[in-house]
């Protein structure tokens, strides 16, 4: 199979994946919104209508943010692949004073850092936007940043 055919196959698979994810998210939001005015029978004795509606609204907000995040991640993937991002990173890592697998590891780390930097604003908004709005956040900004640093260090060690 030629490189062009593989690229077309990759683009088609990415497009199908994106469309399916967006379609499923839309269906999920529509279902939750359509049923937000009645507590499911199995939970009716334990959960009040206002708590159920709050959970439904929270689910819708998180799903909508997830849709936006999926689109941004897909655009990042397109920029890295078809936009020449990986090729640019390869050129940057090729000038490093060490060779072989160490350069390849540097490339993987660079890709992980870029992906992580793109994910940070979504995580922050999820915690301090959505969760605060619905009263579910118990995390301080200092703790959130400390966890981010710790997670990054553990990831780097692994």
């Amino acid at each position: 199979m030629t490189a062009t055919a593989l690229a077309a196959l990759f683009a088609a698979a990415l497009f199908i994946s994106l469309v399916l994810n967006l379609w499923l998210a839309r269906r999920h939001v529509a279902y939750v919104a359509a049923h937000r005015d009645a507590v499911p029978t199995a939970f009716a004795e334990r959960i009040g209508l206002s708590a159920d509606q709050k959970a439904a609204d929270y689910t819708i907000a998180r799903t909508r943010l997830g849709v936006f995040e999926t689109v941004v991640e897909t655009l990042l993937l397109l920029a890295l692949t078809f936009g020449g991002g990986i090729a640019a990173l390869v050129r940057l890592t090729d000038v490093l004073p060490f060779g072989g697998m160490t350069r390849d590891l540097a490339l993987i780390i660079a890709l992980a850092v870029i992906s992580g930097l793109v994910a940070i604003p979504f995580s922050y908004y999820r915690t301090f936007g959505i969760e605060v709005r619905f009263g579910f956040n118990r995390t301080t900004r200092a703790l959130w940043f400390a966890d981010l640093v710790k997670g990054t260090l553990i990831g780097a060690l692994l």
Side-chain angles (χ1 to χ4, degrees):
M1 190 175 276
T2 67
T4 303
L6 284 174
L9 183 63
F10 172 76
L14 183 61
F15 177 75
I16 291 168
S17 173
L18 177 63
V19 168
L20 281 173
N21 276 305
L22 297 179
W23 176 70
L24 288 170
R26 186 182 62 79
R27 285 181 48 91
H28 181 64
V29 166
Y31 182 86
V32 171
H35 294 88
R36 84 178 280 285
D37 292 329
V39 178
T41 308
F43 303 107
E45 292 181 18
R46 292 181 275 162
I47 298 173
L49 179 61
S50 65
D52 185 63
Q53 288 174 330
K54 181 179 179 180
D57 294 341
Y58 175 72
T59 297
I60 290 169
R62 281 188 58 103
T63 302
R64 287 183 175 153
L65 179 63
V67 164
F68 185 59
E69 188 173 10
T70 297
V71 170
V72 170
E73 288 171 348
T74 300
L75 292 173
L76 174 63
L77 185 56
L78 287 170
L80 288 170
T81 54
F82 295 112
I86 292 176
L89 290 173
V90 167
R91 285 191 300 276
L92 285 173
T93 56
D94 275 349
V95 301
L96 295 174
F98 34 83
M101 291 187 62
T102 308
R103 274 190 198 153
D104 295 341
L105 182 60
L107 175 63
I108 291 169
I109 290 169
L111 288 167
V113 166
I114 291 168
S115 295
L117 288 174
V118 169
I120 288 173
F122 293 103
S123 176
Y124 185 87
Y125 182 73
R126 191 175 295 108
T127 302
F128 297 105
I130 295 173
E131 290 185 10
V132 165
R133 182 172 12 138
F134 290 96
F136 297 143
N137 181 36
R138 303 279 185 250
T139 303
T140 64
R141 283 176 173 76
L143 181 59
W144 185 86
F145 280 111
D147 286 346
L148 176 67
V149 170
K150 287 183 225 173
T152 302
L153 292 174
I154 289 170
L157 289 174
L158 293 176

